[in-house]
Amino acid sequence: MEANANHLPNGEAAAAAVLDSPTNPMVTPLLTDLYQYTMAYAYWKGGKHNDRAVFDLYFRRNPFGGEYTIFAGLEECIKFIANFKMNEGEISFIRQSLSGSCEDGFFDYLRELDCSEVEAYAIPEGSVVFPKVPLMRIEGPVAVVQLLETPLLNLVNFASLVATNAARHRFVAGKSKMLLEFGLRRAQGPDGAITASKYCYIGGFDATSNVAAGRLFGIPLRGTHSHAFVSSFMSPDEIIEKSLKSADGSTICEDFVSLVQTWLNKIKAVQWSKSSNGDTNHSELTAFTSYALAFPDNFLALVDTYDVMRSGIPNFCAVALALNDLGYKAGGIRLDSGDLAYLSSEARKFFQSIEKEFCIPGFGKTNITASNDLNEETLDALNKQGHEVDSYGIGTYLVTCYSQAALGCVFKLVEINGEPRIKLSEDVSKVSIPCKKRSYRLYGKEGYPLVDIMTRENEPIPKVGERILCRHPFNESKRAFVVPQKVDDLLKCYWPGTSGKPRVELPSLNETRERCINQLEQMRPDHMRRLNPTPYKVSVSAKLYDFIHFLWLNEAPVGELQ
Ligand SMILES: Nc1ncnc2c1ncn2[C@@H]1O[C@H](COP(=O)(O)OP(=O)(O)OP(=O)(O)O)[C@@H](O)[C@H]1O
Ligand SMILES: O=P(O)(O)OC[C@H]1O[C@H](OP(=O)(O)OP(=O)(O)O)[C@H](O)[C@@H]1O
Ligand SMILES: O=C(O)c1cccnc1
Ligand SMILES: [Mg+2]
């Protein structure tokens, strides 16, 4: 991004200097909707551009039929705000794009524009969040905050959706499984892919195959090999360099290819399936041997190119046992087609019988990775059937968020110059909650979060052990008293503008991932289950409830029946 922290006035330069630009250089002040600039001009023309506005960024419904969402994308938003500055090229493009009647003074105004007077409050990234509760509250001169609307929504919507998708996959897979994100080839373009890799990691994946994401964010990289590698080999003669040093470097096996063949013969002698003539595919064996010669300490084999049980598994075992003679431990197999429950179970039995037959401790536990169009449903089906998969490689359904295209976060004005504002709608779920607010998470006796409550800015903070009335924001009859055992103040100050408030540092990616995993573990199980989960309660204080309904009546015109 061309924005330069040195252009920021006074104290803000120091604050901005420590924050890099957003990851994607396309995230500039032009990455917004045209109407933000036309409105900015109209605000400026009317002398209203510096009116102090407060906007809430929130979503209305949890995705994927669930009752929770992971908030993600905050770090990129704050980096965007910190570096918000237009260069001459951008200003001249806006000049060309707006009407010729726009006055020059507006472009001088844009030249000076930055976010030094903007304050950004947010729930920490990686938190479990719920509908209607502001994920971010942005305050500042109305024109500039308006320009931020679209990029902030863009940075939060997909990030939160895909992090939630990842968390849901983790929930079904279980804690002990290794989850690998394999979506780069199927993602919606380069940004879709990089974004998915980053936020799937936050949502609980362990690693990605996406090398660029590994470099950008330090996410662990993992991978196996493809069918092309296996089918590119024709015959054992292709292997010219056959020698392999033992793991401790003390000996050299001059003909690793023959050692593999010897092991295959031994396996055949004791294991062989009656339904086969005993021959495995030679080109596959060559491919596996070749891969082992290249990566003896991390030998992985994709075993489904020809026939998993009659060829892939015995071939893998022959190479793995040859490696074992030289002190290496094989990395494992990948299954990429067929019935993954059945094949993983059969493969496990085969490994266990090899362990027993040849006295190779631990061989029965050889890692089994599964891939092939996996999603929440297939993981759930595998669990129900029983399987022996240790790791999952998941691409298309995960990164494209196949079962829900967008989260639907919105950015709504809730106050201007100290005056609360409301957006009405025929659809009650779309009525905005007015006022500059504070939000809290209240925890119950068992340590679970019980309810989120929004209050007006100047109301007293809910206190541990003190009873507080929590009201549904729109449904009069839904209300409950809560005596919280713990209270979390949800909104933290990430960009203080000129308020003089301390700025919360952005955590590392791993800290954000840990926050996400810990918060998910703290949730009451009935909110988390896949089928008919219990909705988590989101409420407002009695004062805010009364005010919403006062403002609603005030703003809604009274109809006349004829
Ligand atoms: N035991 C299982 N229970 C439920 N779904 C499974 C199970 N095993 C695999 N699947 C899923 O079933 C689908 C099988 O895909 P598909 O019908 O395309 O066949 P395939 O195994 O890829 O075969 P081919 O290689 O011939 O295309 C995949 O989405 C996979 O994740
Ligand atoms: O299935 P996904 O969840 O998207 O995971 C990634 C897939 O990408 C690779 O093969 P690719 O799909 O390119 O080819 P294939 O389907 O013929 O194996 C890999 O073998 C997986 O199947
Ligand atoms: O490393 C793998 O096995 C891999 C990577 C991307 C897509 N499919 C598989
Ligand atoms: Mg595929």
Side-chain angles (χ1 to χ4, degrees):
M1 188 163 139
E2 290 129 294
N4 184 340
N6 296 332
H7 294 167
L8 293 173
N10 310 326
E12 289 316 303
V18 296
L19 290 181
D20 297 334
S21 303
T23 302
N24 186 338
M26 275 191 284
V27 182
T28 69
L30 295 198
L31 191 76
T32 196
D33 294 304
L34 177 66
Y35 81 163
Q36 311 292 12
Y37 278 101
T38 53
M39 285 187 281
Y41 181 73
Y43 286 137
W44 178 85
K45 182 84 173 91
K48 195 178 153 60
H49 51 294
N50 282 328
D51 284 7
R52 192 86 190 159
V54 182
F55 284 82
D56 282 348
L57 186 152
Y58 61 97
F59 61 93
R60 297 189 177 110
R61 201 179 312 162
N62 289 302
F64 310 118
E67 288 297 343
Y68 65 94
T69 298
I70 303 300
F71 173 41
L74 176 63
E75 177 190 3
E76 299 289 336
C77 291
I78 301 302
K79 287 177 170 176
F80 175 63
I81 289 172
N83 291 281
F84 187 98
K85 190 81 195 144
M86 296 183 75
N87 64 32
E88 285 307 319
E90 290 165 341
I91 292 169
S92 103
F93 185 75
I94 294 298
R95 191 192 283 269
Q96 287 165 39
S97 307
L98 294 184
S99 148
S101 66
C102 290
E103 294 168 23
D104 286 348
F106 177 64
F107 302 102
D108 296 336
Y109 160 74
L110 289 184
R111 200 164 284 120
E112 296 304 315
L113 200 60
D114 61 27
C115 287
S116 53
E117 288 178 41
V118 170
E119 291 169 48
Y121 300 84
I123 299 180
E125 183 158 8
S127 298
V128 175
V129 289
F130 303 99
K132 302 190 209 63
V133 181
L135 308 178
M136 299 180 75
R137 185 180 84 203
I138 310 290
E139 307 175 30
V142 65
V144 65
V145 180
Q146 192 85 74
L147 290 176
L148 299 178
E149 169 176 357
T150 313
L152 296 189
L153 288 173
N154 179 276
L155 290 168
V156 167
N157 262 316
F158 180 61
S160 300
L161 186 73
V162 76
T164 309
N165 203 18
R168 295 181 62 85
H169 281 76
R170 164 58 73 196
F171 181 79
V172 189
K175 267 197 232 173
S176 64
K177 302 297 169 197
M178 176 81 130
L179 291 184
L180 314 173
E181 178 268 307
F182 279 175
L184 175 56
R185 65 192 57 199
R186 299 280 157 58
Q188 275 98 341
D191 185 81
I194 295 281
T195 304
S197 298
K198 177 174 179 183
Y199 297 109
C200 286
Y201 184 62
I202 285 180
F205 269 58
D206 296 294
T208 178
S209 64
N210 181 342
V211 179
R215 177 162 189 218
L216 279 168
F217 309 119
I219 302 173
L221 288 174
R222 292 282 183 283
T224 66
H225 58 231
S226 76
H227 295 109
F229 181 81
V230 178
S231 52
S232 72
F233 288 84
M234 306 279 283
S235 97
D237 304 340
E238 285 177 68
I239 302 181
I240 310 293
E241 180 50 66
K242 298 179 184 175
S243 69
L244 182 60
K245 229 190 222 167
S246 63
D248 62 8
S250 63
T251 52
I252 292 187
C253 166
E254 292 300 343
D255 189 350
F256 184 70
V257 177
S258 296
L259 182 61
V260 168
Q261 192 57 55
T262 309
W263 270 112
L264 186 62
N265 293 338
K266 286 192 204 172
I267 294 170
K268 276 184 193 175
V270 293
Q271 278 289 332
W272 216 245
S273 143
K274 284 111 205 142
S275 60
S276 150
N277 68 6
D279 274 340
T280 61
N281 186 297
H282 292 292
S283 53
E284 179 181 63
L285 186 65
T286 309
F288 290 178
T289 307
S290 235
Y291 200 81
L293 284 166
F295 296 105
D297 48 9
N298 190 21
F299 165 58
L300 299 155
L302 175 59
V303 292
D304 70 336
T305 308
Y306 302 112
D307 187 311
V308 174
M309 292 314 297
R310 291 184 188 142
S311 185
I313 295 289
N315 278 342
F316 164 79
C317 290
V319 177
L321 292 172
L323 284 172
N324 180 68
D325 281 351
L326 300 176
Y328 297 104
K329 187 175 177 305
I333 61 160
R334 176 162 72 100
L335 296 165
D336 189 43
S337 59
D339 183 327
L340 299 170
Y342 171 77
L343 289 172
S344 64
S345 303
E346 289 300 302
R348 179 69 66 218
K349 280 188 217 154
F350 202 101
F351 295 153
Q352 285 166 343
S353 64
I354 294 277
E355 169 167 349
K356 219 162 137 199
E357 198 68 53
F358 300 111
C359 301
I360 318 282
F363 198 86
K365 294 198 170 69
T366 296
N367 185 283
I368 301 175
T369 298
S371 55
N372 188 23
D373 290 336
L374 294 173
N375 56 30
E376 275 191 68
E377 279 66 41
T378 44
L379 297 185
D380 193 39
L382 291 176
N383 288 343
K384 286 183 176 135
Q385 293 160 39
H387 66 86
E388 286 293 336
V389 176
D390 303 296
S391 318
Y392 294 105
I394 314 183
T396 313
Y397 283 92
L398 174 70
V399 303
T400 64
C401 295
Y402 193 91
S403 51
Q404 179 163 338
L407 176 57
C409 274
V410 295
F411 193 72
K412 296 290 167 197
L413 181 76
V414 293
E415 190 179 288
I416 189 129
N417 292 332
E419 295 293 332
R421 305 307 298 144
I422 191 167
K423 154 84 179 67
L424 298 181
S425 169
E426 295 284 315
D427 176 354
V428 173
S429 73
K430 288 195 161 186
V431 173
S432 67
I433 299 183
C435 305
K436 178 165 166 177
K437 300 178 283 293
R438 300 185 69 166
S439 349
Y440 305 92
R441 183 156 299 169
L442 310 183
Y443 295 75
K445 280 200 192 100
E446 287 162 38
Y448 296 123
L450 279 186
V451 63
D452 283 7
I453 183 168
M454 291 170 264
T455 71
R456 295 196 69 173
E457 172 75 356
N458 47 11
E459 284 187 59
I461 301 173
K463 286 199 186 68
V464 170
E466 257 181 39
R467 203 165 82 143
I468 179 167
L469 181 63
C470 298
R471 301 203 60 166
H472 186 287
F474 303 115
N475 187 332
E476 196 172 14
S477 64
K478 289 194 176 174
R479 61 219 200 282
F481 284 114
V482 173
V483 180
Q485 302 304 305
K486 183 179 141 195
V487 176
D488 269 351
D489 188 352
L490 293 177
L491 289 173
K492 315 281 178 212
C493 179
Y494 285 92
W495 189 252
T498 47
S499 68
K501 290 180 190 155
R503 172 162 75 81
V504 171
E505 288 297 324
L506 292 170
S508 70
L509 190 68
N510 278 317
E511 286 166 340
T512 299
R513 181 172 183 271
E514 274 163 36
R515 163 178 284 277
C516 176
I517 292 169
N518 291 338
Q519 288 219 343
L520 286 165
E521 273 178 7
Q522 269 184 30
M523 292 299 297
R524 216 174 58 200
D526 57 309
H527 298 308
M528 306 301 291
R529 67 176 173 234
R530 294 184 61 243
L531 189 65
N532 301 328
T534 312
Y536 179 83
K537 289 186 177 57
V538 168
S539 67
V540 294
S541 64
K543 258 196 179 155
L544 182 53
Y545 179 90
D546 289 342
F547 188 76
I548 295 170
H549 294 265
F550 160 78
L551 200 63
W552 192 335
L553 293 182
N554 226 24
E555 299 283 349
V558 183
E560 196 167 313
L561 302 177
Q562 293 187 343

